[in-house]
Amino acid sequence: MHGDLTKARHLALGLEKLTEEAPPLHAGEGYNYFYYTFPEGEALRFTLNLAGYSDAYYEVNNEGLAVIKWQKDDVAKREWGAKPTFKSYVYFLDEYMHGLFTYGIVDAQGKDTELGKFSQENCNNNDCNKLVLKIEGEKRTDQR
């Protein structure tokens, strides 16, 4: 709910995700990446895309649980809930089947700025197994 933005994002992604109100997802053919987005400066709201088969939007409640608010199931071709809009956001793309991790920021005009990319083969630091990384200059705006 407060503290370091990068650590809070990492924790948010690992929270129990409550999805009981949303219809069950239909599985795709195979998952080969995870794509996470957070509004710039925030850790308590995020989206998760599973290999293009489904998108979901979660908000962390006061009990520390990630509650689904929107879901799009591309396999079943259905949508549920209210789709979020983020003015600007940061993204983390983990293409684990290819051993590639990319992260960046998209501004309010839709301009995508890639901030980094690395492969597991060329990785020799602690960033290699993290779901999120620090975005230089970003300040937390959602502390409770």
Side-chain angles (χ1 to χ4, degrees):
M1 300 296 179
H2 58 274
D4 181 76
L5 181 59
T6 304
K7 288 179 185 175
R9 285 176 172 163
H10 183 76
L11 290 170
L13 291 174
L15 291 174
E16 184 71 29
K17 292 173 181 62
L18 300 180
T19 61
E20 66 256 1
E21 292 183 24
L25 291 171
H26 285 79
E29 290 295 317
Y31 295 93
N32 56 16
Y33 70 81
F34 295 123
Y35 181 72
Y36 303 95
T37 67
F38 290 88
E40 188 173 6
E42 296 186 33
L44 302 177
R45 300 186 305 146
F46 61 93
T47 66
L48 166 60
N49 177 296
L50 299 174
Y53 294 119
S54 68
D55 283 292
Y57 165 64
Y58 296 91
E59 292 180 0
V60 178
N61 67 15
N62 288 332
E63 288 78 39
L65 301 170
V67 180
I68 194 165
K69 299 295 183 177
W70 170 76
Q71 173 180 283
K72 182 178 178 193
D73 185 336
D74 288 324
V75 176
K77 299 191 183 337
R78 66 179 173 213
E79 196 167 337
W80 172 89
K83 184 176 181 179
T85 55
F86 300 158
K87 290 180 185 174
S88 60
Y89 61 91
V90 296
Y91 64 87
F92 305 93
L93 174 60
D94 183 2
E95 297 176 275
Y96 55 89
M97 295 293 284
H98 297 281
L100 189 62
F101 189 88
T102 307
Y103 65 104
I105 189 164
V106 176
D107 68 18
Q109 290 73 42
K111 180 182 174 217
D112 182 342
T113 303
E114 184 179 292
L115 299 175
K117 179 184 279 190
F118 55 86
S119 70
Q120 293 292 345
E121 299 169 351
N122 300 330
C123 194
N124 58 8
N125 61 39
N126 288 335
D127 292 339
C128 294
N129 293 311
K130 294 184 179 176
L131 300 173
V132 295
L133 297 171
K134 181 176 177 58
I135 306 296
E136 289 301 320
E138 188 180 20
K139 303 280 187 236
R140 186 152 188 197
T141 60
D142 70 343
Q143 296 190 72
R144 293 188 206 157

